[in-house]
Amino acid sequence: MNWKERVLERENLLIDDLKQLVSIPSVLDESLATEDAPFGPEPKRALDWLLEEGRKAGFTVKNIDNMAGHIEMGEGDELLGILCHVDVVPAGSNWTYGPFDGTVKDGKLFGRGAIDDKGPTIAAWHAMKMVKEAGIPLNKRVRLIIGADEESGFRCVKRYFEKEEMPTIGFAPDADFPIINAEKGISTLVFTQKTKEADGQLLHFKSGDRTNMVPDYAEAHIKGFDFKEIQGKFESFTNIHDVVASIVEENGEAFLRFHGKSAHAMEPDNGVNAAVLLATFLNKIFEEGESKDFTQFIVDAFGTETRGRFLGLAYNDEISGDTTLNAGIVSFTPEEGGLVQVSMRYSVTYPFEEKIGTCNDRLKDTPFTMEVKSNSKPHHVDANDPFIKTLQEIYTSYTGEEAELLAIGGGTYARVLDKGVAFGMLFPGRDDVAHQADEYVYIEDLLKATAIYTEAISRLASNEREGENE
């Protein structure tokens, strides 16, 4: 079957569906969460929209407590799972196009979720429809499993697999091509300031909304300083570091706003952490006290590198590379002191308990303590598994490129599967713009991925072995 040609025939349908899904601002909203909409109204609306598309197309559809659901076809005891999500991270700032407009320009579709994960979801959904429309006999069931809380803790798939069966094999189109067979562990670490003795210097500090994003904005409110002197240091600092920032005086107090660059927490060095920048500047003007302890700790722990060396958390292995730390949510008030919430993406062979113990030992000499708020262990599928070999053959046949195996610091739904990998849809050489302003997907890549997923479904869920995909 020449899936490439068939995908080209439905290009407009793919784009229209993606526009509709992107237009739903499906960001977690705990303040509006109800029993009927556990993650807020918009994630539920996105889930409902896709499930309704499945119903209209004649598939079997099931909703699991408005947290997740699936669209199913085929027959058989075994199950191929394709795990996608329709929730997105907050839009953030500095967009050229409306984050929920689905603007198509220069061969790209712009919008929050275009590449993470609404574009891949639409590609996988259309791949299922194409296999069904082609009448390919399946010897397995195929499920598009859809979650609505991937970006905020996987509560959706946790509930789903409490009630539904585990796929025999599966893939998540929510990362990079060719194939990701190793995902780092993901742990949230919370660093809390021990002493809370107000010194009158720092009145407020706030940056970040999610640990899985590099914060692109930070603000602070300080007092007790000569404004002209501070302004001179401010201008020098922002010029040296090429920072977009502002400082305003009101009644002898100063309000500072710093802008950085957002990026996914799996590689913090791809972004510019606004919290770290602002703390670094404030650390140059603060004197001794609680305020100085707060900024000094941020500078020491996160200011010069993101690998956790100061905290004793650094580690590297051949399977998955460096352990990384992202200070994603940073706050301070005189009453509560400092709080730093960190996403640690740790290597597959990481000695977790040993490293956490080392970190706690080092913190004894600092003004901060640490607790492990959550921990999702690493995931790994052996490179020689026949499932992996089949996906490699498919990728190579459709791209002409070697299907090398990859490891990532991001967490995809593949990690909840007994045997699962992340399979696209960011192609090699493309910039990873997930979680960034002006997130986009290349239309060309959307079509190519759809053809690859169609071939994967037909190969993995039937006796189909040959594809006319040149």
Side-chain angles (χ1 to χ4, degrees):
M1 191 73 66
N2 192 328
W3 297 121
K4 286 183 178 179
E5 288 186 2
R6 294 203 173 197
V7 169
L8 286 174
E9 293 171 358
R10 61 196 304 139
E11 176 177 350
N12 290 335
L13 292 174
L14 276 157
I15 293 172
D16 288 345
D17 277 358
L18 182 51
K19 281 184 173 182
Q20 288 190 65
L21 191 52
V22 165
S23 74
I24 302 172
S26 47
V27 178
L28 172 70
D29 190 342
E30 302 275 19
S31 69
L32 296 178
T34 63
E35 185 174 344
D36 184 55
F39 308 126
E42 298 301 342
K44 179 181 183 296
R45 186 155 70 98
L47 176 63
D48 287 344
W49 179 86
L50 190 51
L51 293 178
E52 181 59 27
E53 290 297 299
R55 288 189 192 95
K56 290 189 297 187
F59 289 75
T60 301
V61 172
K62 189 171 185 179
N63 184 319
I64 305 299
D65 301 334
N66 292 315
M67 291 187 174
H70 68 241
I71 300 171
E72 181 178 305
M73 67 177 182
E75 296 180 352
D77 294 332
E78 295 186 345
L79 176 64
L80 167 64
I82 306 169
L83 277 66
C84 305
H85 68 92
V86 291
D87 62 308
V88 295
V89 298
S93 56
N94 303 319
W95 283 73
T96 305
Y97 309 100
F100 303 108
D101 291 350
T103 302
V104 175
K105 189 173 179 62
D106 299 328
K108 304 172 184 175
L109 189 150
F110 292 85
R112 177 57 84 221
I115 195 68
D116 181 20
D117 184 45
K118 292 181 175 181
T121 298
I122 292 298
W125 163 229
H126 276 263
M128 280 185 67
K129 289 204 289 185
M130 291 171 66
V131 170
K132 185 174 187 288
E133 291 166 5
I136 293 175
L138 303 178
N139 58 18
K140 295 183 181 69
R141 289 167 294 137
V142 180
R143 279 186 185 176
L144 185 72
I145 300 172
I146 309 145
D149 181 49
E150 194 269 356
E151 299 289 3
S152 304
F154 285 33
R155 289 171 290 181
C156 48
V157 287
K158 182 177 185 295
R159 177 65 59 85
Y160 182 87
F161 286 116
E162 287 173 354
K163 297 191 171 186
E164 296 293 323
E165 68 185 286
M166 176 64 62
T168 314
I169 55 174
F171 63 85
D174 186 23
D176 295 1
F177 277 129
I179 300 161
I180 293 169
N181 70 319
E183 296 188 12
K184 294 178 183 178
I186 303 176
S187 183
T188 300
L189 310 180
V190 179
F191 296 84
T192 305
Q193 197 162 0
K194 300 173 189 175
T195 58
K196 299 174 178 63
E197 300 175 358
D199 55 35
Q201 298 175 89
L202 181 58
L203 304 181
H204 167 82
F205 188 108
K206 178 70 175 70
S207 181
D209 297 307
R210 301 282 184 92
T211 59
N212 65 351
M213 296 175 70
V214 175
D216 62 0
Y217 173 76
E219 62 184 29
H221 177 194
I222 64 175
K223 73 172 184 178
F225 300 93
D226 181 281
F227 183 74
K228 289 183 178 179
E229 181 180 342
I230 293 176
Q231 192 168 32
K233 292 181 178 180
F234 171 84
E235 291 174 357
S236 175
F237 182 89
T238 54
N239 286 335
I240 291 171
H241 294 275
D242 193 24
V243 180
V244 176
S246 66
I247 182 169
V248 177
E249 180 192 17
E250 291 183 16
N251 301 319
E253 301 177 0
F255 296 83
L256 300 98
R257 295 176 176 84
F258 274 53
H259 296 272
K261 178 186 176 184
S262 183
H264 198 292
M266 66 180 172
E267 182 42 87
D269 289 347
N270 289 340
V272 178
N273 193 310
V276 171
L277 276 175
L278 179 51
T280 302
F281 170 69
L282 293 176
N283 198 54
K284 296 179 180 298
I285 63 174
F286 285 161
E287 301 170 359
E288 294 182 352
E290 183 189 28
S291 302
K292 179 71 172 183
D293 288 345
F294 169 69
T295 56
Q296 187 66 58
F297 176 75
I298 294 173
V299 171
D300 289 341
F302 312 105
T304 59
E305 49 88 23
T306 59
R307 269 45 186 171
R309 294 182 182 89
F310 175 82
L311 297 167
L313 296 170
Y315 188 85
N316 173 286
D317 65 22
E318 291 187 7
I319 297 174
S320 55
D322 287 346
T323 293
T324 64
L325 277 72
N326 176 59
I329 303 175
V330 185
S331 65
F332 177 96
T333 65
E335 297 77 21
E336 299 295 328
L339 188 70
V340 185
Q341 298 185 53
V342 173
S343 178
M344 180 173 74
R345 310 296 171 114
Y346 61 91
S347 312
V348 167
T349 61
Y350 195 75
F352 187 83
E353 296 300 331
E354 175 188 331
K355 285 292 187 178
I356 293 298
T358 299
C359 180
N360 282 324
D361 286 342
R362 292 197 179 186
L363 288 174
K364 291 176 182 178
D365 297 326
T366 76
F368 278 75
T369 61
M370 183 271 288
E371 66 172 337
V372 178
K373 183 178 180 181
S374 66
N375 184 34
S376 175
K377 294 181 179 179
H379 176 75
H380 182 227
V381 178
D382 188 87
N384 294 315
D385 193 287
F387 169 51
I388 297 285
K389 295 298 185 184
T390 298
L391 292 180
Q392 286 180 307
E393 290 172 9
I394 292 167
Y395 180 83
T396 298
S397 68
Y398 272 79
T399 65
E401 299 171 358
E402 182 181 352
E404 63 177 309
L405 302 181
L406 308 173
I408 62 166
T412 76
Y413 281 152
R415 70 196 302 117
V416 305
L417 297 171
D418 287 348
K419 184 184 288 188
V421 299
F423 189 43
M425 66 172 245
L426 186 69
F427 285 93
R430 297 300 202 193
D431 290 335
D432 185 356
V433 292
H435 296 200
Q436 296 185 27
D438 286 338
E439 178 181 346
Y440 62 83
V441 62
Y442 283 99
I443 303 298
E444 173 190 355
D445 292 354
L446 181 69
L447 302 178
K448 189 191 301 184
T450 303
I452 290 173
Y453 294 147
T454 310
E455 179 73 11
I457 293 168
S458 64
R459 285 278 299 274
L460 294 170
S462 76
N463 294 319
E464 186 87 12
R465 299 302 299 173
E466 300 297 330
E468 297 175 17
N469 41 42
E470 295 304 323

